[in-house]
Amino acid sequence: MTVLDRSGAQQSSPHPAPPPAWRPAGDAASLLPQDTPYRVLGSEPLPVPPALLGDGPRPDDAELLALHGHLAKGRRYNEQATALTKQGSLAVYPSSTGQEACQIAAALALAEDDWLFPSYRDSLAAVARGVDPVEVLSLLRGDWHSGYDSRATRVAPLSTPLATQLPHAVGLAHAARLAGDELAVLALVGDGGTSEGDFHEALNFAAVWQAPVVFLVQNNGFAISVPLAKQTAAPSLAHKGVGYGLPGVLVDGNDAAAVRQVLSTALGRARSGGGPVLVEALTYRLEAHTNADDATRYRADDEVAAWRAHDPIALVERELTARGLLTEAHAAQVGAAAEELASDLRGRMRTEPSLDPADLFAHVYARPTQQLRQQQAQLQEELAAAAEGGPR
Amino acid sequence: MTATLPQQTAPPTPLGRALNRALRDALAEDPAVHVLGEDVGTLGGVFRITDGLAAEFGDERCTDTPLAEAGILGAAIGMAMYGLRPVIEMQFDAFAYPSFEQLASHAAKMRNRTRGALPMPLTVRIPYGGGIGGVEHHSDSSEAYYTATPGLHVVTPSTVADAYGLLRAAIASDDPVVFLEPKRLYWSKEPWDAESPHPVPELGRAVVRRPGTSATLIGYGPSVPVCLQAAEAAREEGWDLEVVDLRSLVPLDEETVVASVRRTGRAVVVHEAQGFGGPGGELAARLSERCFHHLEAPVLRVTGFDIPYPPPMLEQHHLPGVDRVLDAVARLQWESEWTSKEAR
Ligand SMILES: Cc1ncc(C[n+]2csc(CCOP(=O)(O)OP(=O)(O)O)c2C)c(N)n1
């Protein structure tokens, strides 16, 4: 693109054009999300797939049946965990009922070597990735801040400070790329979290470094009580990609098949050097923020009802019915598997976790400082005295 | 532990050069080491501490990052999760604040949170302190924020040899180290031969810079030269002052400090950071707990005032200088007025 008028002598023009380097580079249009969220389940006409997807294959019957089983287990897990808060064995639980499709289908799109960076609401994603369902709950149970082995599972700890896990995801992806390892990183964040500075810095670093990371925003409409309209004036959260030079994709977050397809494509693209992608999944938090929250203070029942009609499990079941796959045998098997997960969770959460106060000092540093050794000895003395039953 | 004397034949070398050499040697020895920061590549950093590293090791080992401190530290955390050993440069003390959340909530806690599965072997280099006529936001002594954050090591050199040795030790540490570089000492020179091998000290060991018998001056980073000058000047008054260089605030080498103060019976802690909530209070408390029966006088502190760092034309009033240290030494109950007052 020629900006300078080469023919005209500079003296003849009182206002010379700026040098070309200051012109925008790159094709913004190719980074913009589609007008309509991508979906594959439900009635025709289906929206145009995002350019990034190409003609990716639609889920076959076996895949759809498997997804159905995973979603049902996810819902049952949420119900059981919420029940555990009422019995006092969990301090709090942020339910993801209504968001099972985004969390589970996204996690299922990960390959063996990939990493997952979940947010505090993403227990289901971690479980779908293969983390032990009880270990996932350590944070909320309170026996340790993170209960599973992040290195072995390649699942970072559930992050409580919103969006702070996103730069970690970028850094890990960058390190893997530098090492020449073919892996991708999936980083989860909520709609509220996209307002945090770390979200912006992470997207920018990811794009500049072409890090193999896929950001998945679960837009469930609310950050505790605050609706999206008070969070952003952007046309969509997926539009936030263009400002940093990474493509944005909109997907129906309740359509497990669509999420699975979009994430598989985006992660595969990242793995093979195609760079980062921002995916916004439109979904809804059907329950309150946590068991301790009262959602009636900030949203209307009919809004919730409208989303219940677009329930992710119902969507898959309708498709299965249309394909003649929702047999009684399948339904019974799915129900039994979900029940088995719940009863395993109940049973194991009933046993007291093993707690060792010495752990408080063991992992602060590679080697405890002199001061920590003294403090540990003090605590041990106190505990020994208490065990002997008398005051010291 | 006492300081080894520098070889007199070695060329005079500025502290900044020794830091540069430490980074270079670390990059050369360990492929996991990566330097990241604003302007650290082509430019070599605003203080030139990373000069030549990108040219020698390439952009991927010494990387100019986007201008975002939280992003730099956050990305470094992810790199550390994958087994790298990032060394970050923050451009100035006050510009490290955007990264504080990443440091306090993640770098400091990740090892503990994951029971050691995800250690954080990263170093955050921060030029700190005043005395260079910097405009606002370029002269903070922010160490107390970091020492108040369990999980971090906080280290600061005062000599050229330590600049090299402590930085190597920080980079080799399997824990996050906030490495505070006294920016006004960047250009101070000592005989030091970059080409001869240098020992890497253990982190958390204080050193007696000057032995003495009358009282102990305790300093770190930029306050160590002030203590040494004060000790020199105090000779005229007949005081023989010992100077302890902490070198590391976390871990704190209490044993060296306590041994010194038990010997001398008197102590003054000197630092540029504000007195309220500063490291001096912690030291005074520990010394009173552990040296009570050896003390001839209360432990005194000579620190910056409890004010935002002053504009450059007024900073000399804020910085603890030799006179203020000597005034404090004079107040260490030499006439036993303390005991006599108590007796009254
Ligand atoms: C940095 C930070 N600020 C505030 C909070 C408190 N907080 C917890 S969840 C939440 C709302 C999060 O909303 P969103 O990102 O949309 O995720 P969702 O809860 O909908 O999954 C807030 C404000 C927090 N955890 N971290």
Side-chain angles (χ1 to χ4, degrees):
Chain A
M1 181 174 57
T2 307
V3 205
L4 292 172
D5 180 7
R6 291 172 202 280
S7 59
Q10 205 162 323
Q11 300 94 302
S12 72
S13 162
H15 297 294
W22 292 73
R23 296 275 151 178
D27 168 24
S30 70
L31 303 176
L32 291 173
Q34 336 83 278
D35 292 333
T36 323
Y38 181 61
R39 59 186 173 84
V40 294
L41 302 178
S43 46
E44 309 278 339
L46 293 170
V48 189
L52 188 115
L53 267 190
D55 292 323
R58 300 267 218 102
D60 62 20
D61 291 354
E63 222 176 304
L64 211 58
L65 286 165
L67 272 177
H68 181 232
H70 281 293
L71 297 188
K73 273 161 91 173
R75 171 122 341 152
R76 192 67 191 88
Y77 185 91
N78 275 330
E79 288 167 2
Q80 184 57 63
T82 301
L84 289 170
T85 62
K86 299 198 173 95
Q87 296 152 21
S89 33
L90 280 182
V92 65
Y93 186 73
S95 169
S96 55
T97 290
Q99 296 173 232
E100 295 91 344
C102 332
Q103 292 205 7
I104 295 170
L108 292 176
L110 291 164
E112 171 82 14
D113 287 342
D114 292 349
W115 274 71
L116 173 69
F117 282 74
S119 183
Y120 77 104
R121 196 184 292 287
D122 302 322
S123 298
L124 290 190
V127 172
R129 174 69 173 149
V131 177
D132 182 289
V134 171
E135 290 180 2
V136 168
L137 294 175
S138 272
L139 170 75
L140 305 171
R141 192 184 200 186
D143 55 302
W144 201 255
H145 303 307
S146 183
Y148 48 91
D149 183 340
S150 283
R151 188 168 292 287
T153 57
R154 286 179 290 284
V155 178
L158 298 171
S159 179
T160 306
L162 299 168
T164 56
Q165 72 281 13
L166 305 179
H168 308 170
V170 175
L172 188 140
H174 177 59
R177 194 186 64 79
L178 292 181
D181 296 342
E182 257 199 35
L183 61 78
V185 176
L186 175 61
L188 306 182
V189 67
D191 45 292
T194 66
S195 300
E196 292 280 1
D198 279 341
F199 173 81
H200 299 264
E201 298 191 19
L203 261 62
N204 190 43
F205 273 65
V208 170
W209 285 350
Q210 285 298 287
V213 56
V214 175
F215 301 96
L216 174 61
V217 181
Q218 293 175 70
N219 177 0
N220 65 9
F222 291 90
I224 307 186
S225 66
V226 179
L228 189 69
K230 292 186 183 174
Q231 209 64 251
T232 183
S236 80
L237 297 173
H239 277 85
K240 296 198 173 200
V242 65
Y244 302 100
L246 69 165
V249 176
L250 269 171
V251 63
D252 180 339
N254 286 13
D255 181 334
V259 173
R260 175 74 201 258
Q261 197 185 342
V262 167
L263 267 293
S264 291
T265 311
L267 288 164
R269 180 181 185 271
R271 243 177 256 126
S272 57
V277 180
L278 171 65
V279 180
E280 176 184 1
L282 294 154
T283 182
Y284 196 77
R285 197 193 72 209
L286 286 174
E287 303 288 336
H289 164 58
T290 66
N291 52 295
D293 174 44
D294 174 9
T296 62
R297 293 175 65 92
Y298 53 81
R299 66 184 190 187
D301 289 347
D302 53 353
E303 180 184 295
V304 183
W307 278 94
R308 280 197 191 280
H310 194 62
D311 183 294
I313 296 181
L315 282 186
V316 178
E317 288 180 348
R318 249 174 256 141
E319 178 79 12
L320 287 174
T321 306
R323 296 195 195 182
L325 297 169
L326 195 58
T327 61
E328 248 172 61
H330 170 76
Q333 185 203 329
V334 164
E339 220 28 68
E340 196 183 320
L341 173 78
S343 89
D344 170 63
L345 189 59
R346 261 196 321 273
R348 288 199 286 145
M349 289 293 287
R350 256 200 301 270
T351 55
E352 285 295 312
S354 72
L355 298 173
D356 182 359
D359 280 355
L360 294 173
F361 304 94
H363 307 292
V364 183
Y365 298 103
R367 277 180 300 136
T369 60
Q370 180 206 353
Q371 289 79 7
L372 288 185
R373 286 196 302 272
Q374 284 164 356
Q375 290 161 26
Q376 183 178 351
Q378 177 199 332
L379 178 60
Q380 261 159 7
E381 271 175 41
E382 288 172 7
L383 293 171
E388 277 165 29
R392 285 189 301 155
Chain B
M1 190 176 167
T2 41
T4 43
L5 290 171
Q7 306 128 297
Q8 291 310 316
T9 51
T13 307
L15 187 142
R17 265 306 311 145
L19 292 170
N20 175 268
R21 182 63 192 218
L23 292 170
R24 201 192 129 203
D25 289 355
L27 282 161
E29 280 173 31
D30 184 354
V33 174
H34 283 249
V35 172
L36 305 145
E38 295 158 8
D39 303 290
V40 298
T42 313
L43 181 67
V46 292
F47 291 108
R48 306 292 183 267
I49 306 300
T50 58
D51 189 30
L53 300 180
E56 186 172 349
F57 298 97
D59 290 344
E60 292 189 342
R61 298 288 305 285
C62 181
T63 307
D64 278 331
T65 64
L67 212 169
E69 292 77 9
I72 298 170
L73 192 37
I77 288 169
M79 292 166 75
M81 285 178 168
Y82 204 68
L84 297 184
R85 215 167 256 283
V87 182
I88 293 163
E89 175 172 301
M90 292 291 166
Q91 209 153 58
F92 280 88
D93 29 59
F95 306 142
Y97 299 149
S99 68
F100 191 76
E101 183 186 26
Q102 286 293 345
L103 195 63
S105 290
H106 292 301
K109 292 177 177 161
M110 194 65 83
R111 170 189 286 281
N112 186 61
R113 175 184 299 143
T114 62
R115 294 180 194 269
L118 298 177
M120 286 287 117
L122 58 88
T123 303
V124 188
R125 297 180 35 242
I126 308 177
Y128 84 120
I132 63 158
V135 297
E136 196 185 8
H137 311 296
H138 293 76
S139 299
D140 284 9
S141 286
S142 32
E143 57 267 36
Y145 299 131
Y146 306 119
T147 58
T149 306
L152 302 178
H153 289 315
V154 183
V155 173
T156 179
S158 76
T159 67
V160 174
D162 265 3
Y164 180 89
L166 291 177
L167 182 53
R168 290 300 307 273
I171 296 170
S173 167
D174 287 331
D175 288 314
V177 179
V178 174
F179 190 84
L180 297 169
E181 300 175 357
K183 66 172 88 76
R184 76 172 128 124
L185 300 184
Y186 273 147
W187 304 273
S188 79
K189 289 180 182 168
E190 279 167 38
W192 188 79
D193 186 358
E195 298 312 321
S196 63
H198 295 282
V200 175
E202 195 186 337
L203 289 184
R205 291 266 178 267
V207 66
V208 175
R209 290 279 171 222
R210 181 192 198 282
T213 54
S214 323
T216 304
L217 300 181
I218 303 161
Y220 55 86
S223 71
V224 174
V226 175
C227 291
L228 288 168
Q229 285 166 35
E232 211 40 52
R235 277 167 51 177
E236 291 168 23
E237 313 283 333
W239 290 313
D240 176 22
L241 302 182
E242 179 147 306
V243 175
V244 175
D245 178 356
L246 291 176
R247 300 159 108 205
S248 158
L249 295 170
V250 182
L252 181 67
D253 180 1
E254 282 182 51
E255 300 315 311
T256 300
V257 182
V258 163
S260 170
V261 175
R262 284 187 181 165
R263 255 193 330 268
T264 62
R266 292 176 166 86
V268 179
V269 191
V270 185
H271 59 65
E272 272 183 43
Q274 78 296 336
F276 192 92
E282 186 61 42
L283 279 149
R286 283 175 192 264
L287 289 172
S288 82
E289 284 166 12
R290 297 191 56 191
C291 307
F292 187 70
H293 296 292
H294 301 263
L295 285 173
E296 305 287 341
V299 178
L300 296 183
R301 290 171 295 163
V302 177
T303 68
F305 297 124
D306 298 333
I307 56 173
Y309 197 87
M313 294 175 81
L314 290 167
E315 72 177 337
Q316 79 275 14
H317 300 298
H318 173 72
L319 290 171
V322 169
D323 290 345
R324 218 171 264 161
V325 175
L326 290 175
D327 285 349
V329 172
R331 284 187 281 119
L332 287 172
Q333 319 294 337
W334 300 101
E335 310 303 335
S336 286
E337 29 181 313
W338 180 254
T339 25
S340 52
K341 249 187 235 157
E342 291 297 289
R344 255 183 266 148

